[in-house]
Structure formats: structure tokens, C-alpha cells
Amino acid sequence: MSSINMVGPSGQLYGEVVPGQDETQFQQDNTSSEYYNSPYFTNHKNQVQSIPPPQPGVPLQILLKDFVAPEIMAAITSANQIVFHSVGDTGAAKVSKNQTAATAIAQQASVADAIAAEVQSGGANPPAFFFHLGDVVYNFGEGKYYYDQFFEPYRGYDRPIFAIAGNHDGMVFGNTPDVPQTPSLLAFLRNFCAASPRVSQDAGGLVRSVMTQPGVYFTLDTPFVSIIGLYSNVLDGPGVISSQGGHYPISDDQLTFLESELTRLKPARKAGKQGIILALHHPPLSVDGDHSGSTGPSADIDNICTKIGLWPDIVLSGHAHLYQRFTRRVGSQQIPYIVSGSGGFAATAPQTKAPPAPFTIGDQTLEVDPIIQFGYLNIVASATQIKVVFRCPTVYGVQENDSVTLDLKSGTISQGASTSTASTTLVTKKPSATKKKPSTKARKKTSKSG
Ligand SMILES: [Fe+2]
């Protein structure tokens, strides 16, 4: 285990040198579920919010090499593959009156500590970053909860965390019917889309630098894979990425962006140099009764992919608080659509019972029965394949509960459920001098899902 933490090329800091013990109480009493009854939210809960424009004059593409130390990039080159993490819906917030804060915190911490341990014990080419699939902070993305739900849980994760925003990150409330108390995505933009990598005002003294993503939609270019991230807005359902022909009062800028990105990436993809992952918080396909698939984004994406003649190799989403894996067939291409909203908030079973997997409707096959466990995706990408493994922390260690490998040349998958226990060594945490004392106030309110 390294005792020296990474410093990014622009001076970015990520993990604490001594992460300390997990919290057992929240520093801030989370009372935001009461905002579900606020005049602004009740009046506007079925409406989308406008999409914040990207930072002016900044490219919509960011390069991994600008966020990690040169030796990390050298290790990726040397290994001929990149390893990274992805999952959504991580925020620790109580989901019922009966759940203790300690339970909520422990559920998020089980995943957060496992991915931090993989970085520490990952050998010559450990995971290079975490791509968060949205719903970072419940229930309204408030800055004051970023410590308890983001900075503190990931204080031991010594790598950059990129993020697309989920509905909870953009949802707004207020005591007047027409004006929200704070603009949509205010704290998300402050912490993920800053102009420079400074200390966050929301970090409570922890060192993790704010991220400098260009906006809520962007592409992360890494060796072997590019990840196109889209913002699917604030509704519990459905996801919305465009006006859908004037149906929603938002811009179509994300469609223009997606089209230009697929056009940009097509030569490298066709040359067998680069895979393409598309990430959006709301899943285009889902069997979860609470969080079903979103046909609007699915049609938007299909229209553009058809026009350009290029589909993403894999589609990643969160929002539904479980793990689901579909295969979508487009011609001879098999595209994994993976839902992993299993990062710590309220693992939730499907409300409607789906037929046993595998079952097929049209061009979509649900390959495995939904897995209702907290867990995360470990993704390994090379020039020839992308392997996605769903790993679940258990008291016996980290268990691999599903995997799929996509051959980038043929566009076909091989897959297999797995029950092996990975040999990940969990990091031993010691008290950190940088952490504030947690609040002694107990949390009183319940929160909603999503
Ligand atoms: Fe969500």
C-alpha cells in the first residue's frame, strides 16, 4: 500500500493520506425530505429544469492525462489496458424512519471502501478513476450534504471521481411557488464543473479537489475508451435529454453534442483503437417497477446513432437501485445496457415481477435476474475488449456476481455469472486529524427513492 498519495498534473489532490474510520453519524442532520412538500417542488415536480450551459470557451472533451499523475498513464500504456470504476446512487441518506443513520452510512461505505481498497491493492495498473452515474447527494443535491454523502465516504479513494448528474443532484425546492431556493445543480456544478481544481467549500477540510468537467454533459477521453456523459434531468421518471421535438422546454444541445462526439470518435472506433461508452443516469432499459426505462432518451440516442452509423459499445446507467444487465441487438452488434444504481442508497427490488432471465422482448434481452445488492462495476478496457464485472462487498470479501466481456472487433459478448470472491484487501482505516467531529443530532425524516 502506498503511503504517498497522488497529485494530479494541475496540483489536484484526491485521497486523504490517512483516511480514518468511517462515520457512524452524519455531520449534518439531513432534513431535506421535508422539501418534497415545499411550494416550489410540489408545483414543479413534473417539470424538467433547464440544462446549465457548459463553461464558456472550454472544450466539451476532457483528457484523463490532465487529472492523474504521469506514472498512472504510463502504467496504463504498459499494461495495454485501463481499469476504472463506475456506479450511481451512492448518497448515504436514510430511506425510512426505521433505518438508522449508521446503517445508511455503512451501506455507502461498503462500496466506497471496497473501491478505495482496489486502488490501494491494485498492483502495477490499479483503477485509474471512478465515473459516477449520478445521484451523488440526496435528496436535493444540497451543498451542505456533500461532506456526509460524497467527500467523507470517498476520502480514501485516491483517484479522480468524474460524475454525471442524477435527478436528485438537480432537483430543487423553495418556499415560493415559482422561484427555487437555489438554482438547479448549484452544488453539483460547484463540485464537479469548476473552472479550476481548488479545495471545495463543501469538503469539510478534506483534501479532494473539485473537478473541472466542462459541464453536465461532456466526454472523458482515456486510453482505449471514451465515455460520453449526458444529463437526463430531474424527473423521477422518465429521463429527458432533449426537447423531444418541442415536448419539453429545454434545448437540444445534448443531441448536437452526442452527434458531434460520435462523428469525432468514429474513425478511432472503426480503426479498432478506442471503445465508446455512453453514460446517462436514467436507464434507457430497466425492469425496475419504481424506475422503469426511459423511451425518450432511448429514441433520441437511437436516432443519432442511426444517422451517424455508430452505436456506443456499452450503455451505463444508474437511478434504479439494483443491478440489471441487458443485451441490445443492433444488426449483428450486441450492446450491453447495464444499470448499476447500487452504490449505497436503498437497494430496491423490482416492484413488478419480471419473467426469469434470460427473456427477450424485441431487440432486448434481460440476461440475468436483477441483483438487489450493493455493489459497483469494475471495468477493464483494452483495444480489443471491454470487460465489466459487478462486484458486491460482503462480510466474506468482495464477490463477483456477474460479468460480461465485449469483443470490440466482432461487437459480440461473452458472459458469465460468477460467485468468486476477489482477493481484495480492505484498507485498514485509522482516525484522521482532518475530519470534523460528526453532529450528535439524530436524523428524523425519511427520504424518497430515486
Ligand atoms: Fe435517480
Side-chain angles (χ1 to χ4, degrees), residues 72-83 124-126 224 380-382:
I72 302 295
M73 301 303 294
I76 293 166
T77 303
S78 176
N80 266 318
Q81 63 182 28
I82 184 168
V83 186
N125 184 32
F224 308 117
V380 183
S382 69

Side-chain angles (χ1 to χ4, degrees), residues 137-420:
V137 169
Y138 292 82
N139 291 292
F140 289 81
E142 300 98 315
K144 66 180 177 179
Y145 300 135
Y146 262 75
Y147 176 82
D148 283 325
Q149 298 190 35
F150 180 71
F151 287 100
E152 195 279 341
Y154 301 112
R155 71 201 180 284
Y157 192 78
D158 190 31
R159 290 293 182 271
I161 302 176
F162 304 95
I164 49 173
N167 54 306
H168 283 279
D169 301 311
M171 276 165 46
V172 277
F173 62 93
N175 291 326
T176 59
D178 296 320
V179 182
Q181 181 165 314
T182 55
S184 179
L185 292 163
L186 180 71
F188 183 90
L189 294 172
R190 186 161 77 211
N191 284 293
F192 288 101
C193 309
S196 60
R198 59 183 180 274
V199 171
S200 172
Q201 69 184 69
D202 303 311
L206 297 176
V207 300
R208 179 176 295 282
S209 305
V210 295
M211 293 298 281
T212 50
Q213 297 169 192
V216 293
Y217 56 94
F218 65 100
T219 300
L220 172 63
D221 286 330
T222 80
F224 308 117
V225 69
S226 290
I227 305 175
I228 303 172
L230 300 178
Y231 174 50
S232 49
N233 224 287
V234 302
L235 304 180
D236 193 39
V240 180
I241 61 171
S242 76
S243 74
Q244 294 181 20
H247 183 69
Y248 291 103
I250 57 173
S251 79
D252 288 330
D253 291 353
Q254 292 197 98
L255 301 185
T256 307
F257 167 70
L258 179 59
E259 181 174 339
S260 69
E261 287 302 90
L262 290 177
T263 303
R264 176 179 73 90
L265 295 168
K266 188 174 181 178
R269 177 63 188 88
K270 294 293 184 188
K273 295 178 179 172
Q274 192 83 359
I276 300 171
I277 292 176
L278 179 65
L280 70 167
H281 177 69
H282 294 76
L285 311 181
S286 173
V287 296
D288 176 14
D290 249 358
H291 304 96
S292 58
S294 291
T295 54
S298 197
D300 282 340
I301 292 164
D302 284 2
N303 288 340
I304 289 169
C305 293
T306 303
K307 180 177 176 183
I308 304 302
L310 184 72
W311 262 261
D313 296 296
I314 295 176
V315 178
L316 299 180
S317 299
H319 193 54
H321 302 146
L322 40 63
Y323 172 86
Q324 302 173 70
R325 180 166 62 80
F326 297 83
T327 301
R328 172 102 185 277
R329 289 176 306 284
V330 177
S332 61
Q333 187 178 353
Q334 295 178 309
I335 307 171
Y337 278 59
I338 297 172
V339 181
S340 189
S342 51
F345 183 86
T348 309
Q351 292 197 339
T352 51
K353 191 154 177 63
F359 81 90
T360 299
I361 301 175
D363 61 4
Q364 306 157 16
T365 300
L366 179 70
E367 300 281 11
V368 291
D369 291 326
I371 300 173
I372 302 107
Q373 267 183 271
F374 295 112
Y376 56 93
L377 306 177
N378 175 291
I379 303 174
V380 183
S382 69
T384 56
Q385 67 175 39
I386 303 175
K387 181 176 185 180
V388 184
V389 181
F390 180 56
R391 291 184 172 168
C392 299
T394 75
V395 293
Y396 306 109
V398 176
Q399 202 166 57
E400 298 192 347
N401 283 341
D402 186 44
S403 69
V404 62
T405 302
L406 176 71
D407 183 289
L408 289 170
K409 189 167 186 183
S410 65
T412 56
I413 63 165
S414 55
Q415 55 186 330
S418 167
T419 55
S420 67

Side-chain angles (χ1 to χ4, degrees), residues 23 25-30 105 144-145 147-148 202-204 435-441 443:
E23 283 191 317
Q25 289 181 290
F26 289 111
Q27 187 177 77
Q28 283 283 336
D29 188 20
N30 188 327
I105 290 167
K144 66 180 177 179
Y145 300 135
Y147 176 82
D148 283 325
D202 303 311
K435 286 178 63 183
K436 292 180 180 176
K437 285 187 177 177
S439 163
T440 55
K441 283 188 278 184
R443 286 156 50 90

